[in-house]
Amino acid sequence: MKARLAALATALLLAAAAWSAALAQPAPSAALDAAFAAELATARRAAGAGCKEDAVDRLVRILCRGKLRVGVRTNYPLFAGETAQGLAGYEIDIARAIAAALGVDLVLVPVTPANRIAMLGEDRIDLTIATMGHTSLRDGQARFIRPHYYQSQTVVVGPRGRALTDFDDLAGQTICVTVGNASNAELSGHNARLMLFDSPAKLVERLSAQACQLAAQDDSFFAAAFADPAFAARYETKFGFAPVPWGMAVGREGTEHLAQLLSILSARFHRDGIFLNTAATHGIATGFLERQRSAWSGRCNSATALQDGTCLAAPLVTAVPATPWAGQVDAIEAWIEQRLGLRATLAMFKMAPAWDLVRNGAINSGLLILGVSLATPCIAVLIGLALGFGGLPLRWLAQGVCVLMQSCPVVLTLVIAAALCNHLVGITTLSGLITAIIALGLINGSYAGRAIADAVASLRADAAKRDEAPVPPHRLFREGLARAETQIGAFIINAIKGTPIASFIGVPELLNALTDTASFSAERATTYWLLLVFYTLAVLLLVPVVQALGGLLRNRASAR
Amino acid sequence: MTAFFDALPPGFLLHLLGGVSINFWIAAIGLLLGLAVGLPLAICLASGSRWLRWAASPVTALMRAAPTFVTMYFLFQVLQAGPGGGTALSPVMTVAWALMPYAAAYIADSGADALRHWRAGSFSAALLFLPNLVRAYFVMVMSSGISAAIGVQEGISIILRQANAMGSFPQQLGVYLLGILVFGSIMQVGLLGVGALRRFAIALMLNRANRRAAAQSDLDFDGSRIDPTE
């Protein structure tokens, strides 16, 4: 009995001890608050011990100064934009909430995407909340605060009623994008033809003016455009891809405590619905914030969750593998700048995916040039034969082809050919190439074929004038070919000059490849200079070749 | 057929013709730019100075070789943002400038030919420069369709947009055929115009030659000319 009583008393004592220990620990739901209070108290004690302008710890400096300098955008409606009352938006309200939580004044400093990280490094701002995607590349430049305060994705926007549900529908379509957008590579990888613009605002302008049919950009950016009823009545989001978490960021040096404090604060803001409610107030998409709130008010609601990979979104991996010769290309760039004073950026030779695109584009352009160089004279010969020697139905058919080809602008001919190809076999790289070769060959071959037929007719007339016996058809045709060789050569050159237009129907030739490269390398001047030089040189080099072949034809005809 | 025309938005044809007028406008600017660059080149190419010919020949060859579509993209992408971020060239001017090398090279070649004929006394051959100019203009009207690639709201853009909006493939083909009809008519009218201009030039020169021959026979004994208007 005594033993039982002793055991019971021990159990009760242990239970009481455990209960009192539990009371001493903050409840899980209050753990984040306690951690925040502890971090802030430590920093305040440090600040109270003596403030120095050159204090290493950024958090201490902020508390000493009594001001938090936050870098914000000024032209990103709904997130941070100028209004009659000053700057307003989701990010501005978040900055205010952070300053209030720290008990300091808020100083908003305008930043741009180009300088928002540099200003952290130069200690001109303490924190940036400026529509910045958290990428693996930027992790080396700034310290990002997790959990993230927002997440955007790239959306494809197009006219209502236009069927477009996924990447497969984008093949061969023109889509307007901004230069340097990380998601451009994915669009070009699905054979979309990119039209590049400097700023997102131009995309909305172009869509409104119907100069762009499709555009791709962050959903956060389009949120403001869709707030306009006229825009929303005409356009809709077709689909989204490439989600990227947005991170507040602080500098790399002396920011361990500040980053830790802001991480705890972000978790609290998710838990308490501050991020969610603020976003809802400004009418921006809240899907990500709803999921985050659910997580941080449930299983992630503890200080240890700040180290838990399942509670935190990973940064977007954007590191681009370099080519083995990237170092040599750097050296060439430096040499050009030093010796010639020109700033050339040869990004297409330094990034492995860009190099793949350029190499394949050059091969496809070579195939196109070779294809049209063969198709044009072949079609010319067929049309010349039909017009010069064929029966009436054949002559009419050839005549019809000539009139049709001469009545239709090149771009329209290519588009019709591509539409027929797509309808019959579907557009692939190979079918696109063949379609472009046939279309360009038909256009130029019909002109050259008519020139052959004219030459044959003139030879007949000459023979009739001289009262000569009729020349055998095969000889007449050969001499006709020789007489029309200048015209045939001119139209072969014309066809070669027209090959870049094949990019209009999505053929991945060099123009398309370099446009794709420029779209994610954010470099255009050198790229398009190289392109212009490539095509002009190709034509200049092929002119003597075509002329030499024509001379050969003429000599053989005169020798016989 | 009726179903097809019912599927088109009201006023589509007028809208299309409005777009085609932009093609004419682009070609006109391109031709003017081509004349400004091509005529001095033509004078150099036809000049007696070997140095001038040597200087003009490679420039003309380069312009002849520059592909219009790539030139347009080059101008559009490289000159899109002017100094201070402003737009340096509007899309319409971008296409006009892209057409300029073709126009300048053509004008330089045919202009030099015309000057040589003129010096050789073959005025009718020299006058063929005018119909050649008109022909180049119509070729440029057709070529200006490439501007659809940079979003200019001209004829081809309007056709392509409408084709995309049509429900079925046959209807899309119908829109394309309508485009061919409009552009084809323009081209054929243009070619007829070129022919008429050529005939007019030849007739004018023949008339002048006849008048000169007649005037030769009307000289007074002292060699003074009789004014036919008197």
Side-chain angles (χ1 to χ4, degrees), chain B residues 3 10 143 168 196 222:
Chain B
S143 301
S168 66
D222 62 358

Side-chain angles (χ1 to χ4, degrees), chain A residues 291-484:
Chain A
R291 290 193 298 278
Q292 287 288 298
R293 191 193 178 180
S294 168
W296 288 98
S297 59
R299 66 179 181 85
C300 296
N301 187 3
S302 69
T304 54
L306 292 171
Q307 313 301 326
D308 183 350
T310 62
C311 290
L312 303 169
L316 186 72
V317 178
T318 54
V320 178
T323 54
W325 49 84
Q328 284 97 309
V329 179
D330 279 332
I332 292 170
E333 285 176 352
W335 184 88
I336 292 172
E337 188 162 6
Q338 271 178 1
R339 297 294 170 92
L340 308 175
L342 296 171
R343 192 162 194 164
T345 311
L346 303 167
M348 70 293 283
F349 300 121
K350 294 195 285 188
M351 297 186 291
W355 169 244
D356 285 345
L357 278 171
V358 171
R359 190 189 51 208
N360 292 336
I363 291 169
N364 288 335
S365 280
L367 288 173
L368 262 176
I369 289 172
L370 186 69
V372 298
S373 304
L374 293 173
T376 302
C378 288
I379 291 170
V381 163
L382 288 176
I383 289 179
L385 276 173
L387 286 174
F389 302 93
L392 195 63
L394 204 56
R395 280 209 306 273
W396 277 14
L397 180 69
Q399 190 69 21
V401 170
C402 287
V403 170
L404 189 67
M405 288 299 125
Q406 290 165 10
S407 299
C408 190
V410 183
V411 172
L412 193 56
T413 307
L414 276 164
V415 169
I416 295 170
L420 284 169
C421 172
N422 193 32
H423 188 69
L424 296 173
V425 293
I427 285 272
T428 60
T429 299
L430 183 64
S431 66
L433 270 172
I434 293 171
T435 303
I437 288 170
I438 292 173
L440 290 168
L442 266 174
I443 296 165
N444 293 284
S446 64
Y447 280 102
R450 188 167 262 184
I452 295 170
D454 288 347
V456 167
S458 70
L459 282 167
R460 279 196 183 115
D462 288 350
K465 252 188 231 168
R466 290 195 294 265
D467 286 333
E468 288 174 356
V471 183
H474 66 277
R475 208 182 112 199
L476 187 65
F477 184 66
R478 208 168 43 230
E479 286 177 8
L481 273 182
R483 190 171 274 196

Side-chain angles (χ1 to χ4, degrees), chain B residues 70 73 76 79 95 98-99 110-111 143 149 158 166 228:
Chain B
V70 176
Y73 255 83
F76 184 66
L79 302 182
V95 190
L99 288 170
S110 52
S143 301
I158 291 167
M166 298 305 264

Side-chain angles (χ1 to χ4, degrees), chain A residues 136-225:
Chain A
S136 55
L137 195 68
R138 288 180 181 146
D139 256 339
Q141 303 164 342
R143 198 187 294 274
F144 277 82
I145 308 302
R146 295 201 295 172
H148 301 99
Y149 71 96
Y150 197 68
Q151 178 177 279
S152 68
Q153 60 174 344
T154 301
V155 289
V156 174
V157 169
R160 285 181 181 277
R162 180 164 175 181
L164 193 92
T165 51
D166 57 22
F167 282 120
D168 291 341
D169 298 331
L170 282 181
Q173 303 284 324
T174 300
I175 184 159
C176 296
V177 298
T178 49
V179 179
N181 195 320
S183 61
N184 289 343
E186 200 157 350
L187 290 168
S188 64
H190 288 85
N191 294 329
R193 205 173 66 80
L194 306 183
M195 201 191 294
L196 308 183
F197 292 93
D198 290 328
S199 67
K202 282 192 180 164
L203 300 184
V204 175
E205 274 174 34
R206 287 294 177 123
L207 279 169
S208 299
Q210 298 189 320
C212 286
Q213 286 290 290
L214 299 170
Q217 184 59 226
D218 268 16
D219 57 355
S220 59
F221 171 77
F222 276 122

